């Protein structure tokens, strides 16, 4: 059985910890970049004009559904964007590429659920 010097083992352990931290940092950075890219496409195509900046929808006439955070699978989301059921314009792949649509979808999925009304102090008791 080989015996390693304590300093060598400590260096390996430190290197592993550093690599783990870097990997987590890179993953977080990539997720933030993807979220920013999806948000840009969402804004560039004017989705926010009806669905709101955070996909919250609207009760104005005509009502617009909330789309974030979406629980739809991508295939259903894609169908709703490509062949919408109401007054929303259809976005064919010639106008909104599949990659752009996926970026919007991922952005909508990244938006957290809003807090419950009871959890917002200023709205309690109204």
């Amino acid at each position: 059985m080989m015996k390693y010097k304590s300093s060598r083992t400590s260096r390996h352990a430190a290197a592993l910890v550093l690599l783990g931290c870097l990997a987590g940092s890179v993953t977080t950075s990539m997720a933030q970049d993807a979220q920013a890219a999806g948000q840009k496409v969402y804004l560039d195509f004017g989705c926010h004009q009806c669905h709101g900046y955070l996909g919250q929808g609207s009760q104005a006439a005509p009502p617009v559904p909330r789309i974030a955070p979406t629980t739809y699978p991508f295939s259903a989301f894609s169908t709703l964007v490509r062949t919408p059921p109401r007054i929303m314009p259809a976005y064919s792949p010639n106008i909104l590429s599949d990659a752009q649509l996926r970026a919007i979808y991922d952005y909508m999925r990244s938006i957290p659920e809003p807090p419950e009304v009871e959890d917002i102090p200023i709205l309690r008791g109204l």
Side-chain angles (χ1 to χ4, degrees):
M1 179 177 209
M2 292 178 82
K3 292 187 177 184
Y4 292 98
K5 291 185 178 178
S6 174
S7 63
R8 184 174 179 187
T9 304
S10 296
R11 283 189 306 226
H12 282 117
L16 288 173
V17 168
L18 180 60
L19 285 174
C21 290
L22 289 174
S25 173
V26 168
T27 303
T28 300
S29 177
M30 288 171 57
Q32 289 170 342
D33 290 349
Q35 182 178 351
Q39 181 182 33
K40 182 177 182 342
V41 175
Y42 181 79
L43 296 174
D44 287 351
F45 277 86
C47 306
H48 67 286
Q49 293 176 354
C50 296
H51 293 283
Y53 284 97
L54 296 175
Q56 73 271 16
S58 169
Q59 292 304 311
V64 177
R66 178 176 145 191
I67 59 172
T70 187
T71 56
Y72 295 120
F74 179 71
S75 60
F77 188 82
S78 177
T79 298
L80 289 171
V81 171
R82 302 285 190 218
T83 56
R86 298 188 326 155
I87 65 170
M88 180 177 144
Y91 289 88
S92 75
N94 295 333
I95 297 170
L96 180 69
S97 73
D98 289 337
Q100 290 170 314
L101 181 57
R102 173 59 82 166
I104 292 172
Y105 177 77
D106 290 342
Y107 171 56
M108 290 294 105
R109 293 196 43 108
S110 75
I111 296 172
E113 284 283 341
E116 296 294 326
V117 172
E118 301 81 36
D119 296 334
I120 303 172
I122 198 167
L123 297 178
R124 287 188 197 140
L126 292 179

